[in-house]
Amino acid sequence: LAHVDAVSRPSRPFAMGFMDLFKKKDPKEMVRKWQSKLRSEMRGVDRQIRDIQREEKNVTKSIKDCAKRNDIRSMKVLAKEIVNSRKVVSRLYHNKAQMNSVSMMLTEQLATVRSVGHITKSTEVLKAMNGLIKHQQVTDTMRDMSKEMMKSGLIEEMLADAIDDGMEDVEAETDEEVNKILAELAGGHKGGQAPPGG
């Protein structure tokens, strides 16, 4: 009988582990974890911006060197790099603002959890997360976070058609923007126009 009892009864560690699968995560801990991840992501965005702006200074110096040599073609290529990098920086600042907005909404969600004991659905968080994850600059961490938010019931399923690389506006630089850069950095040397005295 002792043998049968031992076989029919699962061991205590196994039983505890099996039951853990059905335990719901503490909503307060989930919200705090998301906020911690958001702070980390925002610090990462700041680093990206600093790196891009540091590189822009090097490109700016190169444009001025090209202007001295009257190298119009190289000036235009380099000016397009700056146009693109500034658009990326603008997008990164926008993403950071969105992350901060989500973090503030999560602070409100935390107060709700303390009051009612569970996470409530938020269309505002859904909208902000949808706006974030469709951009190439957003990391896998943010995409994973959006999946966790769906599982928790905080947001509904993300819009599949909203997820794209978000780079079309960055690639579509215009001659007008390039010329503004050249005017800013090289005294108005516009593409295809040789500087006076050349």
Side-chain angles (χ1 to χ4, degrees):
L1 287 174
H3 174 71
V4 172
D5 188 51
V7 172
S8 62
R9 243 183 357 201
S11 65
R12 184 172 177 79
F14 174 81
M16 289 178 66
F18 188 72
M19 292 303 294
D20 283 343
L21 294 175
F22 297 93
K23 282 185 179 178
K24 296 190 74 173
K25 292 182 179 178
D26 181 357
K28 294 191 291 295
E29 285 303 312
M30 290 175 66
V31 171
R32 291 191 189 103
K33 184 182 76 171
W34 293 334
Q35 287 186 312
S36 176
K37 285 183 178 180
L38 283 166
R39 287 192 294 270
S40 177
E41 288 296 302
M42 286 189 279
R43 288 193 294 270
V45 168
D46 286 335
R47 285 193 296 271
Q48 289 182 66
I49 291 171
R50 286 196 298 269
D51 289 344
I52 293 171
Q53 291 176 336
R54 190 180 303 117
E55 181 59 28
E56 182 179 320
K57 289 181 180 179
N58 295 331
V59 176
T60 296
K61 183 178 182 299
S62 296
I63 289 176
K64 292 179 179 179
D65 291 340
C66 289
K68 294 174 184 176
R69 301 193 305 270
N70 195 26
D71 186 353
I72 303 298
R73 181 176 295 179
S74 295
M75 288 166 61
K76 286 191 71 175
V77 171
L78 292 168
K80 284 182 180 180
E81 284 188 24
I82 290 182
V83 168
N84 285 345
S85 68
R86 289 182 179 178
K87 286 184 176 180
V88 171
V89 166
S90 177
R91 175 63 66 192
L92 287 170
Y93 274 124
H94 175 76
N95 288 350
K96 183 183 175 183
Q98 287 278 79
M99 290 177 196
N100 190 56
S101 178
V102 171
S103 183
M104 291 172 65
M105 293 176 199
L106 288 176
T107 298
E108 295 175 5
Q109 188 71 217
L110 199 56
T112 302
V113 169
R114 290 194 183 104
S115 174
V116 302
H118 60 81
I119 287 175
T120 58
K121 189 173 294 183
S122 170
T123 55
E124 289 82 7
V125 174
L126 173 62
K127 183 178 178 181
M129 292 300 291
N130 253 333
L132 272 169
I133 68 165
K134 70 178 183 178
H135 300 303
Q136 191 181 58
Q137 294 89 356
V138 173
T139 66
D140 290 338
T141 299
M142 292 301 299
R143 293 189 174 92
D144 290 342
M145 188 189 303
S146 69
K147 293 174 185 176
E148 291 175 3
M149 288 177 172
M150 279 188 279
K151 289 178 182 177
S152 75
L154 175 61
I155 61 176
E156 294 177 344
E157 190 170 351
M158 308 295 282
L159 300 177
D161 58 359
I163 302 176
D164 56 49
D165 63 12
M167 290 295 286
E168 289 183 7
D169 57 339
V170 175
E171 293 297 331
E173 60 301 272
T174 65
D175 287 337
E176 181 182 356
E177 289 171 303
V178 169
N179 287 338
K180 283 180 181 178
I181 298 294
L182 294 177
E184 175 187 336
L185 300 177
H189 296 179
K190 295 184 179 181
Q193 297 179 359

